[in-house]
Amino acid sequence: MKQYDLVIGGEAVATTEHFDILDPATGEVVGACPVAGKAELDRAVAAARAAFASWSRTPDAERVAAVQRMADAIHAHAGELAELLTREQGKPLNGMGSRFELGGAEAWARHTASLSLPVEIIQDDESGRVELHRKPLGVVGSITPWNFPLLIAVWHIVPAIRTGNTVVIKPSPYTPLSTLRMVEILNEVLPAGVLNVVAGRDDLGQMMTEHEGIQKIVFTGSIGTGKRVMQSAAGTLKRVTLELGGNDAGIVLPDADPKAIAEGLFWGAMINNGQTCAALKRLYVPDSLYEEVCSALVDYAAHVPMGNGLDEANVLGPLQNRMQYDKVVALVEDAKANGARVLTGGAAAEGPGLFYPITILADVSDGMRIVDEEQFGPVIPVIRYTDVEDAIARANASENGLGGSAWSSDPAKAKAVAGRLECGTAWVNSHGAIKPNAPFGGVKSSGIGVEFGRQGLEEYTSIQVVHEGGH
Ligand code: NAD
């Protein structure tokens, strides 16, 4: 069994303590995660700070070339990383699983290499010249979750490095190995200290948010932890980008064609087994289409194979960890006890591995835990409505505001409804698609700030205004 190391200042750093990472499909040990403490974190921040002196002043074209080399390195090692990701995270190699995640990681890195933040001329006339420059912040601390460990790591690391910052990343204790390995690979194409990785338990995240040597935290995770991050980052006035949880609603309009939308609805909800921030987690369907939409979803679900992700036949795998598995069980049991009708699934599977079957629940309503809370699992609650205004109001009656969607045979009608949802991204006849050129982020409790595109890049910089001449 392999023991993984931290990477600090371009070198592998072994720790004395480790803990085992288990394959959620089998319970077997995948590898041992190093446990970093304050001393290792201090060392990583110092290495990042030392590298910042030259990296922040490296010509832009060289930084672009470095990011392109990062994309090339991800491409070259995609097979190895995908297999490790499947073994520690559970998502299948196939479908929208590990290979898909690695493809996304490379695509995001390449797109980010193509972005730039040139000097803006605010004014240039006889009364003077005023320029707006974008400067890197310093050391960026990245804290990632367990659902898309490598893609989200790339979302944090690449724009930070592209804009001249240096990074200390901490992966989730549930899925640290693929990130440790990816950072090792990326260090082959970056100057020492530009990208460092520490791993350990949750307390290491708090140490990062409090650390005096870190200027910004980019955090992706749950709303509860996001609030703690913001609180403890306040002590040193760190910049924060928070990408937090969602409880996205989808609203089917009365003129939709249930058979035509079933596949889009299904994958909008089930991507990564529902363990996706911007997945469809509450589906509102009009009385007139209710049973038809339910049965179209059940028919589609019947042909989706779930099992060990290393088997090419499967497109859904296990839930990632026991805590999440128990949560899904609790929410479904609560719904059943409160009158939900189980159309498919709904009972925990036997045997090793954290497999929970695809579950579609009818006769559920707002006020039930499965609707009000983020289930983060393979469960679609289908909620009945009569009046579309009421459906919009119920969709918006949530602290979450990540994504939302509307579905109709008339895209203009769907767009009008989608635009009224209180969320950072609204989709028309689809749910969950994101692109590296379009800013992504949550409103309300789903986050602060955005990632991707020019606006996402700007979050890794501060503004310096330069005045020349004038009176
Ligand atoms: P989590 O909040 O439990 O953990 C996220 C990370 O924070 C982990 O690395 C963890 O070790 C670390 N952490 C824990 N306590 C900390 C503390 N006090 N200070 C600093 N860091 C700490 O989230 P999770 O369960 O890993 O991820 C699932 C959640 O993430 C879901 O709510 C999901 O919707 C959300 N998510 C959001 C997005 C987005 O872009 N908005 C993307 C993916 C996941």
Side-chain angles (χ1 to χ4, degrees), residues 19-80:
F19 58 80
D20 288 344
I21 299 300
L22 305 182
D23 181 338
T26 61
E28 286 164 13
V29 177
V30 180
C33 175
V35 178
K38 182 74 166 63
E40 287 83 4
L41 176 60
D42 285 345
R43 197 169 150 188
V45 172
R49 168 53 54 188
F52 181 73
S54 60
W55 187 246
S56 59
R57 303 184 61 197
T58 298
D60 203 53
E62 280 179 42
R63 293 208 297 251
V64 169
V67 172
Q68 281 163 344
R69 289 196 304 272
M70 292 170 80
D72 293 342
I74 291 170
H75 180 86
H77 294 271
E80 174 204 341

Side-chain angles (χ1 to χ4, degrees), residues 247-249 251 282 284 366 388-401 403-404 417-423 443-444:
N247 194 4
D248 292 9
I251 300 180
R282 301 176 281 155
Y284 290 87
D366 303 86
V388 71
E389 288 299 323
D390 177 50
I392 294 170
R394 284 150 72 186
N396 286 337
S398 166
E399 68 162 330
N400 297 276
V417 170
R420 291 181 56 198
L421 297 176
E422 294 167 0
C423 52
V443 301
K444 302 203 276 188

